[in-house]
Amino acid sequence: VPVVRAGAVRETAGRWVIEPTPRTRRGGAGTHRPAPLVVPAPGEPGTPRPTIEDVAALAAVSVATVSRALRGLPHVAPATRERVLEAARELDYVADPAAARLATGRNVAVGLVVPMIAHWYYARVFAGIEGVLAAAGYDVLLYQTAGPSGIDRSLDELPFRKRVDGLVVVDATLDDAALDRIVAAGVRLVTIGVRAPRSPSVTVENRRAARQAVAHLTELGHRRIALIAGMDEDPFGFSTPLERRRGYEDALEAAGVEPDPALVVPGHFTYDGGAAAMQRLLTLSDPPTAVFAMSDEMAIGAAKVLREAGIDVPGQVSVVGFDDHEVAAYIGLTTVRQDVLWTGERAAALLLERLREPSASRSERRGAAPSAHESVPTHLVLRSTTAPPPVRARDGRDR
Amino acid sequence: VPVVRAGAVRETAGRWVIEPTPRTRRGGAGTHRPAPLVVPAPGEPGTPRPTIEDVAALAAVSVATVSRALRGLPHVAPATRERVLEAARELDYVADPAAARLATGRNVAVGLVVPMIAHWYYARVFAGIEGVLAAAGYDVLLYQTAGPSGIDRSLDELPFRKRVDGLVVVDATLDDAALDRIVAAGVRLVTIGVRAPRSPSVTVENRRAARQAVAHLTELGHRRIALIAGMDEDPFGFSTPLERRRGYEDALEAAGVEPDPALVVPGHFTYDGGAAAMQRLLTLSDPPTAVFAMSDEMAIGAAKVLREAGIDVPGQVSVVGFDDHEVAAYIGLTTVRQDVLWTGERAAALLLERLREPSASRSERRGAAPSAHESVPTHLVLRSTTAPPPVRARDGRDR
DNA sequence: CTGAAAGCGCTTACAG
DNA sequence: CTGAAAGCGCTTACAG
């Protein structure tokens, strides 16, 4: 029996069989389980469209003049330009980007690589990037490395080669060889949430932000402060969780609190992961009086578990999140606000700069490339999920 | 003083000035107000990459043979094919899609048009679409019609012409002329949430789902049931809100309840809109005992207002949402679950079918094109925000 | 200011 | 099974 990975497409006798992505069961009712799709493999091109020759003929000029006129280049007589514009308008002409790309080598397109676009954070980053790049005339292609099907694709497998002039890579697994290949191919690179050796990057002030959030808890009197983190370990230099953990440790140290590894649990940046993490924390013989989660989703999941366990928030346990997700305000979650849209916009701006640079041959080969590392500021937003620990917890540890 | 629209890009002396998108104020602390970006206008292409000629030279065959071998076409001797593959591997060769496009007319790319990708629903739809299309070898370009800057772009302004073979348009403003132009250009079209005359579409069972949700409330005994809808009116045939409203009216009628226009208020599918709508409903002399919101975000916003007003949910007012957003489970929201990922996957499958069809000239010009309209099923998920109305409200109307 | 022509890197009949 | 050559629709020196 052949094993077909969910979400995969396989071709059989000229037809494509597309396995549906399995759905997580959530909530009460059963989940709709879709049947596999069977569709024909793709086919032929569309209807012919007017070309630059048609415009040239109609305007009674050469194609060279049309090209110049349409792109606003100098050395075109105003009357001629007007005639060309008129002809192009009449024919509803638009230049073929593929032909332009072939002639110039420029795609006027950039790629965005994220783990999964359905996630709140990545969707917002994308929105910010697309806004700026679209305004600058660029097309934006999206590549998910962790599709909903759970299949991870590495940067190397992504088919962006020759498709894009630049790439914004968010929180991706980056190895030096892959990066070198990308840069060698002339693709400009900007990263978010990770740092690449010779490319600009944008990150939020993770360490400072986390320190501030946890300091808020120590100032309230908490000593048993849990951290709901990302993965158990991250071998790929996705630095965000590491930095937030350092900030957490900074704050504990500043308050003279000995870190307890049992209080640090993975939450995988999901609602369910946050809930599971909280479950685990509640089984400890000496459970925390406060929890700092590295994302609002995880904090919401944790808060739900606390509520269901009949534990008062913030009376018995305080909760702090990270992001300032829209929902945070609605459930009164104390959290660290970061401007994700702005993160995307900054990355797009850095990429536009990078696209402007001459050829990679000069500065980059010499290793003299300017690599701007930008830090986006954050704010601690105090709401109603944090308060001093219960009295008994403050006296001894026999809560 | 020149007025610069936020989010806009203007060029001055070869540099681009990018105005930051204004941020909505939410929550407690102040909002970070970013300064405008100033970046150089974009520049030159990348480093040369190996071409098909290089591969041909290394494998000692013609470029025609390389082309055939690499694409798995027949009429290539096994030994030759192996040599070509080896050469391509050695050179790390990848064919230039632009050149291929020019020669074949096919882009092997599709566009996705959504109002704003940062929204939960659209991000998920995109994830579903990208998953299937990427597996089928297509690139996916994203176009936002309502960027975060609030500037609306119509389908006509979008630069997808000649860039893509197909288009998935979600909830967009569609006029017939624009559609005809798209189809005439040979771009295959599939819509989600709206229906176009001669193109396949995917929608959820909006009417039935809404009827079911509201029937749940009437069965509990509610008579004063409010509807938090989308816009005040929608001139563009974005049919989802209309159908959900019809389902609402169906349920009222089935229960013998006279509809009250004062109970129908716009919520714009946002948290804040839902909150504002609830505020407004509370000012009514005869406020509702139950609220059906067309999205979970709006329901969450409404629930927040109720909580802050000291009104018990579901003791005094019941709330039902739509979507089954991840957060819904965490706040115990009764809602209508729809499988958004599947919606995207179905649309992608329909588009792949459409891309397979011969030329538009035949079937479509004759108006005989098959236009599959698919309906994705939904489930009512009962949680803890619905209950019978308070006793006094059931007796008379003097709550 | 304008045009003729080469060239970008592929694919595809057409021969052999 | 393989190759020579035309052609896809642009852009860009180079002349004039």
Side-chain angles (χ1 to χ4, degrees), chain A residues 5-19:
Chain A
R5 279 192 300 189
V9 176
R10 58 196 157 86
E11 187 158 0
T12 316
R15 298 185 76 78
W16 281 347
V17 180
I18 302 172
E19 294 294 323

Side-chain angles (χ1 to χ4, degrees), chain A residues 129-190:
Chain A
I129 290 174
E130 202 272 347
V132 169
L133 289 177
Y138 278 80
D139 275 324
V140 184
L141 312 212
L142 179 79
Y143 301 96
Q144 299 189 88
T145 56
S149 49
I151 304 169
D152 267 40
R153 296 191 293 175
S154 87
L155 219 48
D156 269 332
E157 301 170 58
L158 264 25
F160 59 77
R161 310 260 213 110
K162 293 181 179 170
R163 276 268 187 203
V164 300
D165 303 321
L167 215 51
V168 179
V169 175
V170 190
D171 292 354
T173 66
L174 298 167
D175 67 276
D176 275 4
L179 290 180
D180 282 349
R181 242 167 287 137
I182 290 171
V183 172
V187 176
R188 305 302 203 273
L189 185 67
V190 171

Side-chain angles (χ1 to χ4, degrees), chain A residues 9 15-18 37-44, chain B residues 106 108-110 129-139 165-168 188-190 200 344-358:
Chain A
V9 176
R15 298 185 76 78
W16 281 347
V17 180
I18 302 172
L37 310 172
V38 180
V39 304
E44 290 158 46
Chain B
R106 285 189 58 207
V108 200
V110 309
I129 291 174
E130 201 272 347
V132 169
L133 290 176
Y138 278 81
D139 274 325
D165 304 320
L167 214 52
V168 178
R188 306 300 203 276
L189 185 67
V190 171
E345 288 171 347
R346 281 305 310 160
L350 290 172
L351 186 58
L352 287 175
E353 267 181 46
R354 209 62 173 179
L355 289 168
R356 171 63 170 177
E357 285 167 13

